[in-house]
Amino acid sequence: MSQQRTGPTDGPDFPDLPEATVARLPEYLRALHHLAEDGHDTVSSEGLAAAAGVNSAKLRKDLSHLGRTGTRGVGYDVTLLIDQIEQVLGLTHRRAVALVGVGNLGHALAGYAGFGTRGFRIAALFDADHGRVGEHINGLIVRHVDDLPEVVEQESISIAVIATPAHAAQHVADRLVAAGVTSVLNFAPCVLNVPEGVDVRKVDLAIELQILSFHEHRKSALTALPAAVQKPGRVGMANRLGGEAVAT
């Protein structure tokens, strides 16, 4: 997943967070919710870091940006930290999301129950195919993309997901922006051009698989080397680099 554009913060009191920290906050939040469900009231930085899949030094630095340092010998208050991260991420109320493109991927996304537990609700479904318009998916009726402006205003939608073929994605993005959407999650395998102030996150599953293929190729090459050629620590360094690629 990659970010194509970064917008300004919401105000003078909003924490000025590095993008890498913002990307890790949802991982901390997920881990904290699991800890809370398991009955934990507090967690050490080491425990939370392990649950989130990062090192403890990185976690402490990230949380320091929020003004959270934890209590020596006690750790972090799980409930308070959940509240603070949700506040920073703007998850104090469920955000309405529009999904454009209800093919195989879009259909699966529309039925994904995990959005509701993470602070979002799919409020509207759209497609340009008249054959899909009127279809019922997870309690919603697929609307035609021509209805975008009306529905975006009615549902107060500022975030949209594009799950269309690549050739249609830019046109859809243009229509979303014109309707008032200011944040886009793009699953189409293409780069979108959007105005200043519109944020785009790109999810390309093929790219992620290609990165994993690189790591598999490298591991195979290292394994094939004669033992005398493999320098001490070489494989460990490869593993650390690979882990960093996943963690960041």
Side-chain angles (χ1 to χ4, degrees), residues 68-145:
R68 304 297 299 181
T69 58
T71 303
R72 186 178 296 276
V74 177
Y76 297 98
D77 183 298
V78 171
T79 300
L80 288 178
L81 192 51
I82 286 174
D83 289 344
Q84 185 164 17
I85 292 177
E86 287 185 342
Q87 179 70 37
V88 170
L89 293 178
L91 301 177
T92 52
H93 63 280
R94 288 209 302 171
R95 291 187 178 273
V97 177
L99 192 156
V100 185
V102 291
N104 292 335
L105 176 58
H107 200 288
L109 291 172
Y112 177 55
F115 290 131
T117 61
R118 299 294 183 92
F120 303 92
R121 67 180 180 90
I122 301 297
L125 305 175
F126 300 93
D127 204 287
D129 183 354
H130 286 280
R132 291 191 176 276
V133 173
E135 183 178 347
H136 290 255
I137 303 176
N138 200 28
L140 292 173
I141 299 176
V142 178
R143 308 279 294 266
H144 193 272
V145 289

Side-chain angles (χ1 to χ4, degrees), residues 176-201:
L176 286 169
V177 171
V181 169
T182 52
S183 292
V184 175
L185 180 62
N186 179 32
F187 280 89
C190 63
V191 175
L192 299 177
N193 294 312
V194 296
E196 189 71 29
V198 176
D199 293 294
V200 176
R201 296 284 296 183

Side-chain angles (χ1 to χ4, degrees), residues 8-27:
T9 57
D10 292 340
D13 296 328
F14 198 88
D16 186 14
L17 303 178
E19 282 300 323
T21 296
V22 175
R24 287 188 288 267
L25 288 180
E27 295 294 339

Side-chain angles (χ1 to χ4, degrees), residues 143-232:
R143 308 279 294 266
H144 193 272
V145 289
D146 289 344
D147 296 335
L148 266 172
E150 175 189 353
V151 178
V152 165
E153 182 178 4
Q154 287 178 348
E155 297 289 340
S156 299
I157 294 171
S158 60
I159 300 176
V161 177
I162 295 178
T164 66
H167 67 82
Q170 183 61 57
H171 179 62
V172 168
D174 293 340
R175 300 190 70 167
L176 286 169
V177 171
V181 169
T182 52
S183 292
V184 175
L185 180 62
N186 179 32
F187 280 89
C190 63
V191 175
L192 299 177
N193 294 312
V194 296
E196 189 71 29
V198 176
D199 293 294
V200 176
R201 296 284 296 183
K202 183 170 183 287
V203 182
D204 192 320
L205 301 181
I207 286 178
E208 299 303 323
L209 286 171
Q210 288 168 344
I211 292 171
L212 289 175
S213 177
F214 163 78
H215 292 298
E216 287 300 310
H217 181 56
R218 181 181 58 191
K219 284 183 283 189
S220 297
L222 289 172
T223 302
L225 289 174
V229 177
Q230 294 189 27
K231 296 181 180 180

